[in-house]
Amino acid sequence: MLIAPSILAVGVFVYGLIGWTAFVSTTNWNDLLPDYSSAGLANFASIFDNPRFQIDLRNTTVFTVCFVAAALVLGLVLANLIDRRIRAEGFFRSVFLFPMAISFIVTGVVWKWLLTPSSGFNSLFHLDPTTNRWFTDETVIHLGSDSPVGRWLGDIGLGFLTSTNFGVPVAMLSIVLAAVWQMSGFVMALYLAGLRAIPDELREAARVDGATELRVFRHVVLPLLTPVTISAVIILGHISLKIYDLTVAMSPIGPGFGTDVPANFMWTTAFNDNQFARGAAVAVVMLVLIAIVIVPYLIWTGRREIER
Amino acid sequence: MTRTTVRARFALLGAIAIALSACSSSASPGASSGTGAAKVEIFSWWTAGGEATGLNKLIDQFNSKNPQWQVVNQAVAGGAGSNAKAVLKTRVLDNKPPDLFQSHMGHELTDTWLQYIEPLDDLYAKNSWNDKFPKGVMDIISDGGHIWAVPVNIHRANVLWYNKKVFSANGIKPPTTWDEFRTVADKLRGKGIIPLALGGKDNFEAGQVLETILIGTLGADKYKGLWTGTTNWAGADVTKALTTFKTVLGYVNPDHSALTWDQANDLVISGKAAMTIMGDWVDGYNASKNFTDYGWALAPGNKDIYDALSDVFALPKGAKNADAAKSFLTLLGSPEGQDIFNPNKGSVPARLDAGKPAADQKQYDDYLKSAQADWKADTIVPSLEHGAAAKPSWATAYNQAVTLFMTSGNVAAAQTALVKACKDAGICK
């Protein structure tokens, strides 16, 4: 009884509006005046045909992979350092965790100042602004079509993999840096809790069997941390797939759309260009991308609940 | 916790909620009943600086003349108007429009809002305004035989701003053609000065530079034809403009994608850069930075052409207080209103017969006086980047082509994208 209002509210404002967005994405509402006649999948065809959206999908993939991997590794390293029962542990824990309390907008503004080539890091460390260009660098690292691998890919009909749409935009790595700075402390906290939950007896047993510290970590600790890792990947993954505030504050478009993300494209399409159906189509694509990450996790946790 | 205490708490919550809503609903009429005036809501994105000052002075003037009405300034801050536009759309689609709203003159208004606004033919006839604005402006604010808005001010997009000290130290003059630009720029670069400061963070600055190159290469008539479908985007002169643009991009600061137009202009102020191509809001910006050593010229090849944009006000259908709104429009369109607003905003009046502010008002500065003389004499063309020439989705597609071109340098691909943008906009076949 008591949760009925919240079920109703969630039903209408979350699932109802998801349904509405999905419906709008199949209409012809590409003007301010609503037009609910069916367009089939024309809006999806239009956005996937758009070079900017193709670049955005690349950016979002690169950002997600780099950000999740870097935050996991850094978080794990920090957690292990703190787990050594160092002095002032509480102090360091707070120092690493605090960035998470800041909004992405603030992080974005601060890191924009730090990484603007004519100021920040470059002037602090006397780096050459013409070579250290951070988020203004338009380079996209990709396979050259005339490189050996590129030629081989071309021979087997995968030549499209050598286009810049399958490259890594260097500008995006600056955004990754800022995001990792903000979220690795959170991953550290997750891992620290996981490490503390591992009984010492297990490690002792391994040591008695003659395992080195490295092998203890590799074969005892890491496997026991798997649930933590999966939770962390899900949390970081859904943050990074829908990232918007950080890039808008730091570099909304970037050189050659090098730091542009689908959410930004969606905003422009819907609210600047009045192409609401196409904007809704972008939203649906983003939802599907996030679902690809979240749904297996939900199934996995659901199974574990049953096993218990 | 027992069931009754839960229920009691809910009852208490409910009572608080009712009490709160009663307070708020009784508070709002209480505020206006002090003056006893009907409200008229003016919606804009003028929240800061000279434009906010100008708007407030206009409102003061209106209120002193019309005590029966009270103007409510509904300005929405942020995003160079994009936040305000989003708020406005939800209000209009929700049938709760303000009494007047700001837009840019041209297709941003006519292609978006036509079903939602009232034609103003009667207002123009009543005030005999039809010959008070230049024909170029009347063309831009008209659509389907009706007039849709009142232009308050005029900005110019095709101005080259330069640092006088840097220019005299290097013995150079403002370039009048793009070939001259190259000579001048090479000389500056040899001295370690950035020839042309460019911002790119907001996605319109570089597009505006290309806009001036298109004007300079095609001339006024063919440039206008680009937006009406009579000039071919695939033509050789567009190719030439893109090639020039590519050359020009070789002379800009490498961190342009991190800077806004004003940060780019700061490079000119500090003397690190020599020139920038930007609209004439730079004039007011330089004044606010106490920078006086700047000169202005037209973008190369843009002689006698006024690349114009304008802030206009339109009257939505279903405005609650249309009489008061029309009365406010009358003030906006009068020489008096235009001369109160424009010296503060740093723009020239749209009306040809304005330009003499009352003695107790702020006066026009030197740049604005020269721009006003040009406004009366030059050929007027609509600016793309500021809503006059094409609808917003077309401008976005154009900007997208420019952004990709800036890193790829691929003239053919950029031209194909521009041709496609015109087709997608429904103008080109």
Side-chain angles (χ1 to χ4, degrees):
Chain A
M1 243 307 279
L2 279 178
I3 58 165
S6 73
I7 287 181
L8 190 72
V10 169
V12 171
F13 292 112
V14 178
Y15 296 99
L17 291 181
I18 287 176
W20 176 248
T21 304
F23 166 69
V24 168
S25 73
T26 62
T27 65
N28 282 311
W29 187 9
N30 283 320
D31 214 332
L32 193 60
L33 194 67
D35 174 355
Y36 298 129
S37 61
S38 172
L41 296 176
N43 294 310
F44 290 91
S46 154
I47 59 167
F48 278 107
D49 188 41
N50 188 320
R52 177 174 174 186
F53 188 63
Q54 294 166 1
I55 292 175
D56 290 351
L57 288 178
R58 172 199 73 188
N59 290 348
T60 242
T61 313
V62 167
F63 180 78
T64 302
V65 170
C66 296
F67 163 64
V68 172
L72 280 183
V73 171
L74 197 62
L76 186 60
V77 169
L78 290 176
N80 275 288
L81 290 180
I82 286 194
D83 196 35
R84 305 266 136 175
R85 316 260 167 204
I86 50 168
R87 281 209 317 215
E89 179 199 316
F91 170 74
F92 284 110
R93 219 170 39 202
S94 309
V95 164
F96 293 136
L97 197 55
F98 267 149
M100 204 189 88
I102 302 172
S103 114
F104 267 129
I105 291 284
V106 178
T107 309
V109 170
V110 170
W111 280 87
K112 181 181 80 184
W113 289 337
L114 285 173
L115 296 182
T116 296
S118 53
S119 63
F121 276 158
N122 283 356
S123 48
L124 206 60
F125 298 114
H126 303 290
L127 299 172
D128 180 5
T130 52
T131 51
N132 295 282
R133 296 179 58 197
W134 303 105
F135 61 87
T136 66
D137 197 329
E138 73 262 6
T139 318
V140 177
I141 301 168
H142 66 109
L143 281 171
S145 54
D146 48 357
S147 69
V149 182
R151 252 182 272 140
W152 176 72
L153 283 171
D155 288 342
I156 61 167
L158 294 173
F160 63 89
L161 287 175
T162 59
S163 91
T164 52
N165 276 354
F166 292 88
V168 175
V170 173
M172 202 67 189
L173 300 181
S174 298
I175 315 273
V176 170
L177 189 62
V180 168
W181 173 82
Q182 172 146 7
M183 294 307 292
S184 56
F186 168 69
V187 180
M188 175 209 71
L190 288 181
Y191 273 130
L192 195 58
L195 285 171
R196 296 275 155 91
I198 297 173
D200 265 345
E201 291 79 7
L202 289 175
R203 302 184 203 208
E204 284 304 322
R207 284 184 196 124
V208 168
D209 287 345
T212 60
E213 280 305 304
L214 206 64
R215 293 191 64 186
V216 171
F217 183 74
R218 169 73 188 78
H219 294 289
V220 177
V221 176
L222 263 192
L224 286 168
L225 286 177
T226 311
V228 178
T229 308
I230 289 175
S231 303
V233 167
I234 299 301
I235 293 166
L236 297 178
H238 92 274
I239 289 176
S240 74
L241 283 172
K242 62 185 190 196
I243 194 91
Y244 171 72
D245 31 13
L246 182 64
T247 60
V248 160
M250 220 171 139
S251 169
I253 299 154
F257 294 112
T259 62
D260 195 43
V261 289
N264 196 21
F265 177 61
M266 173 176 78
W267 197 91
T268 308
T269 308
F271 295 108
N272 184 63
D273 301 354
N274 305 319
Q275 299 184 329
F276 293 99
R278 277 179 207 152
V282 178
V284 169
V285 172
M286 286 172 65
L287 180 73
V288 169
L289 284 178
I290 293 170
I292 289 173
V293 175
I294 299 277
V295 168
Y297 172 72
L298 292 178
I299 294 172
W300 181 73
T301 46
R303 279 212 195 117
R304 290 215 320 165
E305 299 278 306
I306 293 164
E307 277 166 18
R308 276 179 197 165
Chain B
M1 194 186 291
T2 63
R3 198 147 259 242
T4 42
T5 53
V6 172
R7 227 179 257 163
R9 283 183 189 194
F10 266 93
L12 184 64
L13 272 180
I16 292 172
I18 291 165
L20 280 176
S21 63
C23 284
S24 60
S25 62
S26 66
S28 43
S32 68
S33 65
T35 58
K39 288 183 173 185
V40 46
E41 271 189 85
I42 313 288
F43 188 94
S44 74
W45 55 81
W46 288 331
T47 54
E51 49 198 34
T53 313
L55 178 63
N56 285 329
K57 286 199 170 166
L58 276 175
I59 291 174
D60 289 347
Q61 176 78 6
F62 182 81
N63 282 341
S64 67
K65 277 190 178 172
N66 300 284
Q68 74 275 30
W69 291 312
Q70 188 207 350
V71 173
V72 182
N73 183 358
Q74 287 278 13
V76 175
S82 57
N83 293 351
K85 288 173 202 169
V87 171
L88 179 66
K89 279 167 199 167
T90 54
R91 284 192 60 173
V92 171
L93 289 177
D94 198 26
N95 268 326
K96 293 191 177 71
D99 294 303
L100 275 183
F101 70 85
Q102 180 191 2
S103 176
H104 284 129
M105 80 167 174
H107 287 263
E108 182 177 315
L109 180 76
T110 49
D111 281 6
T112 310
W113 292 106
L114 229 47
Q115 294 98 338
Y116 298 95
I117 55 177
E118 300 280 359
L120 299 173
D121 305 6
D122 295 349
L123 190 74
Y124 273 73
K126 192 175 138 202
N127 293 298
S128 44
W129 278 350
N130 286 303
D131 56 349
K132 298 296 191 299
F133 297 97
K135 185 176 173 303
V137 165
M138 295 302 285
D139 288 348
I140 300 173
I141 58 174
S142 302
D143 194 81
H146 294 289
I147 307 167
W148 298 99
V150 175
V152 187
N153 62 351
I154 297 294
H155 274 299
R156 183 172 208 171
N158 57 340
V159 188
L160 177 99
W161 303 90
Y162 61 94
N163 185 318
K164 272 185 177 169
K165 214 182 253 169
V166 173
F167 266 52
S168 61
N170 291 286
I172 49 176
K173 286 201 178 76
T176 56
T177 66
W178 288 106
D179 287 334
E180 277 180 43
F181 173 87
R182 229 159 131 179
T183 321
V184 166
D186 280 332
K187 192 165 184 183
L188 288 164
R189 194 155 63 178
K191 295 273 178 68
I193 299 164
I194 300 163
L196 186 73
L198 176 69
K201 190 163 179 275
D202 295 328
N203 207 9
F204 80 85
E205 297 92 338
Q208 193 172 321
V209 173
L210 177 59
E211 180 177 315
T212 66
I213 297 176
L214 284 168
I215 295 171
T217 314
L218 278 73
D221 286 341
K222 287 197 81 182
Y223 167 80
K224 273 196 265 186
L226 287 173
W227 310 112
T228 55
T230 55
T231 307
N232 186 0
W233 278 93
D237 33 13
V238 176
T239 317
K240 190 173 170 231
L242 283 167
T243 315
T244 307
F245 183 44
K246 189 175 173 177
T247 316
V248 171
L249 288 175
Y251 294 104
V252 303
N253 43 309
D255 58 350
H256 53 79
S257 75
L259 305 184
T260 51
W261 66 267
D262 48 316
Q263 291 168 327
N265 190 60
D266 287 343
L267 293 174
V268 178
I269 293 179
S270 70
K272 283 181 188 160
M275 304 173 263
T276 189
I277 291 176
M278 191 27 69
D280 57 9
W281 39 94
V282 167
D283 182 54
Y285 180 77
N286 283 340
S288 75
K289 290 265 171 173
N290 291 321
F291 176 62
T292 51
D293 229 1
Y294 65 98
W296 61 87
L298 293 183
N302 281 236
K303 192 171 182 293
D304 298 336
I305 302 175
Y306 206 107
D307 186 16
L309 58 128
S310 165
D311 291 299
V312 300
F313 277 86
L315 177 64
K317 281 182 182 156
K320 285 192 293 296
N321 203 342
D323 287 343
K326 279 187 181 164
S327 174
F328 196 81
L329 283 176
T330 309
L331 173 65
L332 287 176
S334 68
E336 180 202 9
Q338 304 224 321
D339 282 337
I340 291 175
F341 180 76
N342 283 301
N344 286 295
K345 162 91 170 138
S347 47
V348 303
R351 273 182 79 120
L352 294 166
D353 56 351
K356 292 173 270 311
D360 60 337
Q361 296 288 345
K362 194 171 177 193
Q363 304 294 313
Y364 293 100
D365 69 13
D366 289 345
Y367 165 75
L368 291 175
K369 281 180 189 152
S370 83
Q372 220 170 341
D374 288 352
W375 177 240
K376 290 172 186 167
D378 287 359
T379 309
I380 297 166
V381 299
S383 163
L384 165 73
E385 290 296 344
H386 305 280
K391 63 179 175 184
S393 56
W394 191 357
T396 301
Y398 166 96
N399 283 337
Q400 179 174 319
V402 169
T403 302
L404 293 172
F405 178 67
M406 287 171 76
T407 53
S408 76
N410 188 334
V411 173
Q415 197 162 6
T416 312
L418 290 172
V419 170
K420 182 170 183 290
C422 183
K423 277 185 192 150
D424 288 349
I427 301 294
C428 298
K429 294 277 164 350

